[in-house]
Amino acid sequence: MRVHVVSDVHGNTEGLARAGDGADALICLGDLVLFLDYADHSRGIFPELFGVENADRIVELRTARRFEEARELGRSLWSGIDRDSAIEGAVRKQYAEMFAALPTPTYATYGNVDIPTLWPQYAGPGTTVLDGERVEIGGRVFGFVGGGLRTPMRTPFEISDEEYAAKIEAIGEVDVLCSHIPPEVPELVYDTVARRFERGSKALLEAIRRTKPRYALFGHVHQPLAQRVRIGRTECVNVGHFASSGRPWALEW
């Protein structure tokens, strides 16, 4: 059995269309939407609406952790624009392209920049969406936990620690624990390019120690200090920033 795993697709539709080649199934751990590409500020919903110069400025402010100034810039740019309508229209366009590119079968969960309420309109019969749920693939049990925890970035699908922990509890013991964000381990949550700690989950870390899955797979941190860390018998793996690499991570058994 061979399963390919991707995360942080961020608009890489071309790569996504090839991600399942040679695999029995594809797993997608979220962040399909590209709102702003921090490597190429000309790509994404934000520069399409407000131009590259404003994209440069907001990236500069966020990277410097000057979040209130970034929010003030955002408020001034959005003034007079129906924000929800503009974003939803752009996200719908991206979702239509990306969900059409997913192979059959695909098992997917949400990232923190995704909009879960829109997924049922685009996920075809070959795509199974899971969040706080489990599924058997090739004789192994996979559990899925979508979304992220609350941060100053205020991305669309951030939830409370309590709600996130409840989803982990609902999954129970699994062979492979799949999430968008990593467990709260310093080497896994520190982004070496952004030079900041992203939010990981303590509840995920506790579940790994308690239930001892064979693998814990995740994304979210684009340039982690460590891609893999072993916790007891569990291999914790950041499957990679698919938007830039275009390469899925492979799991075989």
Side-chain angles (χ1 to χ4, degrees):
M1 190 74 183
R2 182 180 177 92
V3 172
H4 286 177
V5 190
V6 301
S7 185
D8 301 272
V9 178
H10 294 302
N12 189 351
T13 306
E14 184 178 341
L16 192 61
R18 301 189 302 269
D21 291 354
D24 298 293
L26 177 71
I27 289 175
C28 179
L29 301 181
D31 271 11
L32 299 181
V33 173
L34 178 61
F35 190 75
L36 176 57
D37 189 332
Y38 277 58
D40 180 355
H41 303 169
S42 68
R43 298 181 64 244
I45 295 171
F46 189 93
E48 287 175 7
L49 291 172
F50 303 117
V52 177
E53 185 175 330
N54 283 316
D56 290 341
R57 179 59 178 158
I58 206 159
V59 169
E60 177 188 352
L61 291 172
R62 287 178 175 176
T63 302
R65 304 187 67 78
R66 293 157 61 185
F67 295 118
E68 188 51 49
E69 291 177 66
R71 283 193 285 271
E72 182 57 39
L73 174 59
R75 282 192 289 267
S76 67
L77 293 172
W78 284 107
S79 178
I81 299 175
D82 185 341
R83 179 188 178 111
D84 292 342
S85 178
I87 290 178
E88 182 175 318
V91 170
R92 283 183 177 277
K93 181 175 182 293
Q94 292 186 13
Y95 277 169
E97 295 172 354
M98 284 183 283
F99 276 98
L102 291 173
T104 298
T106 292
Y107 302 89
T109 197
Y110 318 111
N112 60 292
V113 303
D114 286 312
I115 303 178
T117 55
L118 297 181
W119 279 37
Q121 300 175 46
Y122 297 97
T127 299
T128 302
V129 179
L130 301 134
D131 186 18
E133 299 165 283
R134 39 197 280 155
V135 67
E136 184 177 310
I137 306 173
R140 288 191 176 183
V141 178
F142 288 69
F144 290 79
V145 186
L149 297 173
R150 289 176 181 155
T151 72
M153 301 289 281
R154 299 181 183 176
T155 51
F157 193 43
E158 294 181 354
I159 61 177
S160 69
D161 290 63
E162 293 76 17
E163 185 179 353
Y164 196 88
K167 292 195 290 187
I168 297 170
E169 187 67 24
I171 289 170
E173 293 187 14
V174 296
D175 297 307
V176 184
L177 180 56
C178 299
S179 59
H180 177 67
I181 64 173
E184 182 63 55
V185 176
E187 298 93 326
L188 298 176
V189 299
Y190 185 73
D191 191 306
T192 60
V193 174
R195 292 181 295 179
R196 65 170 180 257
F197 289 96
E198 302 289 355
R199 281 218 66 188
S201 168
K202 293 181 181 178
L204 269 177
L205 179 58
E206 291 168 0
I208 289 167
R209 288 172 171 162
R210 184 178 69 255
T211 66
K212 302 176 176 60
R214 297 185 187 185
Y215 291 93
L217 309 179
F218 48 87
H220 187 57
V221 181
H222 294 177
Q223 300 90 14
L225 189 62
Q227 185 183 7
R228 304 171 77 112
V229 167
R230 181 170 286 277
I231 299 173
R233 72 185 292 267
T234 304
E235 191 73 19
C236 300
V237 184
N238 184 318
V239 300
H241 181 208
F242 187 77
S244 62
S245 73
R247 295 188 303 274
W249 186 80
L251 177 63
E252 294 184 288
W253 66 94

